[in-house]
Structures are given as structure tokens and as C-alpha cells.
Amino acid sequence: ETGVTQTPRHLVMGMTNKKSLKCEQHLGHNAMYWYKQSAKKPLELMFVYNFKEQTENNSVPSRFSPECPNSSHLFLHLHTLQPEDSALYLCASSQPGQSYNSPLHFGNGTRLTVT
Amino acid sequence: GQQVMQIPQYQHVQEGEDFTTYCNSSTTLSNIQWYKQRPGGHPVFLIQLVKSGEVKKQKRLTFQFGEAKKNSSLHITATQTTDVGTYFCAGHSNYQLIWGAGTKLIIKP
């Protein structure tokens, strides 16, 4: 039922691999987000895009590289990851034009395991 | 930095018992949102509270926002198996959304 679709659902990669996570939203929103979810920790905001422009980068290591070609698509390119990067990566969208406080709509996430 | 503390981390209840989770912020919030994440799922927005002292109800769920807009609670009356999951609060402060770590509701068999 989600209007935000993430692929793949699961990803196992070695530390030397390069992979990409994809997110697509069908809600007509103009803001998209990448979050990292680790067990027993609050959701960690990684990147924010508003109208395709990156507006926030929360001191994320350069081995994570976002790309937002348009308001409906968001990618997270991964390279030379570390085992501690294993987590659930969630994409979300919202409509900040109405309010900075609009609720987030999340995708199902990509469960990433780095071996 | 700004933090939202959420307690408890886990709560085990018998089906039919009540459940409550609490969030406390180190700063005044402009609003607070609540989300539910089912096991294996993703966070789903439940509700947003904006006004000081606001109380909102959704069937068996009651949400409160404190008078000082620094704390909030979610209370579930007579839990059911469908309530299982992790409940997160997230408060807006200085244009940032600050998340609590979540409270996991577990129904005892």
C-alpha cells in the first residue's frame, strides 16, 4: 500500500563491491530522504532533497553517495562499505510545500548486509 | 545536541492490558508526530500533535502533547495482537525532525 517503492528489499555485498539502492515515490511529493535504521537506535537522517536539490547531508561518510535525478526518484550509491554499515536503509518522501512539518511516507526499506 | 528520549525500550503486556510509551525532549517542539513500525515493516505515520496540551484519539489509541510542548505520550487501551510493533515519536525543532529510539510492544503468548 505504500506510495514509496524501494529496491532491492535485501542486499548482501562485500566491502569492495559497488551497489546502488533505488527509491521511487508516486505521491507527487517534492522532498525525499534517506534514513539509516539500526537496532535500538533512533532513525538517523542521512540526506534530504527538496525539489531535486540536496538540502541536508548529516556528516555521512563519502562511501555513501546520493543522487536525485528528479522529484520522484532517489538513489543511494554504495562503495567500499564497512560491516558497521549493515542496517535497514529507508527512503521517505513528504510534501514540504504545505508545511515543514508534513508527515513522512516511508518505503519498505532495503536490508543491507556488508560482509 | 537536541534529543528525544523515549521510554520504555520494550513493554511486554498480556493481550487486553494497556500500553503506554513516553517521549521527552530536551528542547521545545513545534509539533510531534507518532509512527508505528510492524515487525519487518516500515514506519507508518499515525498522527501529528501541534497545540500545547493537545489530546487526540484514534479508536483505542490516545495521544497527548504536554503543556510545555516538550513531552508526549501514546496510550493504547486493551491491546490486541494487531497492535504489536514499535512505536516511534518524532518531534520538530529548529526545522529538524528528531526521532525517539522507539518502544517495542510485545504481546505475551
Side-chain angles (χ1 to χ4, degrees):
Chain A
E1 42 101 291
T2 178
V4 180
T5 305
Q6 285 186 247
T7 55
R9 290 296 306 275
H10 301 273
L11 178 61
V12 180
M13 59 186 289
M15 289 190 284
T16 57
N17 291 161
K18 289 185 180 181
K19 297 285 184 183
S20 295
L21 310 185
K22 179 183 176 183
C23 177
E24 182 175 0
Q25 60 98 359
H26 312 277
L27 300 170
H29 291 165
N30 291 311
M32 296 189 76
Y33 310 75
W34 279 116
Y35 275 92
K36 177 183 179 183
Q37 186 174 40
S38 306
K40 301 179 185 178
K41 293 174 68 175
L43 282 167
E44 297 174 56
L45 179 65
M46 300 175 73
F47 301 104
V48 182
Y49 279 82
N50 277 297
F51 296 92
K52 302 187 297 178
E53 299 296 321
Q54 187 177 130
T55 56
E56 196 153 347
N57 175 343
N58 268 6
S59 303
V60 180
S62 60
R63 57 186 185 269
F64 295 91
S65 174
E67 179 190 358
C68 188
N70 55 61
S71 294
S72 298
H73 294 86
L74 186 64
F75 297 88
L76 188 63
H77 304 298
L78 316 171
H79 65 97
T80 59
L81 294 192
Q82 304 298 312
E84 60 264 28
D85 296 323
S86 299
L88 181 67
Y89 288 84
L90 289 161
C91 173
S93 70
S94 72
Q95 189 59 292
Q98 297 171 1
S99 163
Y100 236 105
N101 304 323
S102 297
L104 298 176
H105 296 255
F106 286 89
N108 286 321
T110 295
R111 174 67 62 186
L112 174 67
T113 303
V114 181
T115 61
Chain B
Q2 298 171 93
Q3 292 184 67
V4 172
M5 301 301 295
Q6 187 171 0
I7 58 170
Q9 188 176 350
Y10 302 95
Q11 190 166 357
H12 295 76
V13 300
Q14 298 277 6
E15 189 175 1
E17 291 181 337
D18 293 356
F19 161 86
T20 306
T21 173
Y22 302 89
C23 286
N24 287 290
S25 169
S26 57
T27 60
T28 302
L29 303 171
S30 57
N31 64 56
I32 193 156
Q33 299 173 350
W34 284 91
Y35 293 79
K36 176 184 178 181
Q37 185 172 17
R38 294 180 185 273
H42 58 277
V44 174
F45 174 75
L46 295 176
I47 207 162
Q48 177 167 281
L49 305 172
V50 179
K51 298 177 183 176
S52 169
E54 189 169 14
V55 178
K56 286 189 176 180
K57 293 191 174 185
Q58 287 181 349
K59 297 183 181 178
R60 294 176 295 103
L61 278 61
T62 302
F63 304 84
Q64 295 189 359
F65 200 12
E67 294 290 342
K69 299 184 77 172
K70 296 180 77 171
N71 58 72
S72 182
S73 65
L74 159 59
H75 180 82
I76 303 178
T77 304
T79 54
Q80 300 175 358
T81 55
T82 53
D83 296 325
V84 162
T86 302
Y87 293 84
F88 294 93
C89 63
H92 271 102
S93 179
N94 296 325
Y95 301 104
Q96 293 185 41
L97 187 60
I98 309 161
W99 289 80
T103 297
K104 190 171 184 178
L105 169 59
I106 300 162
I107 305 281
K108 298 176 191 174

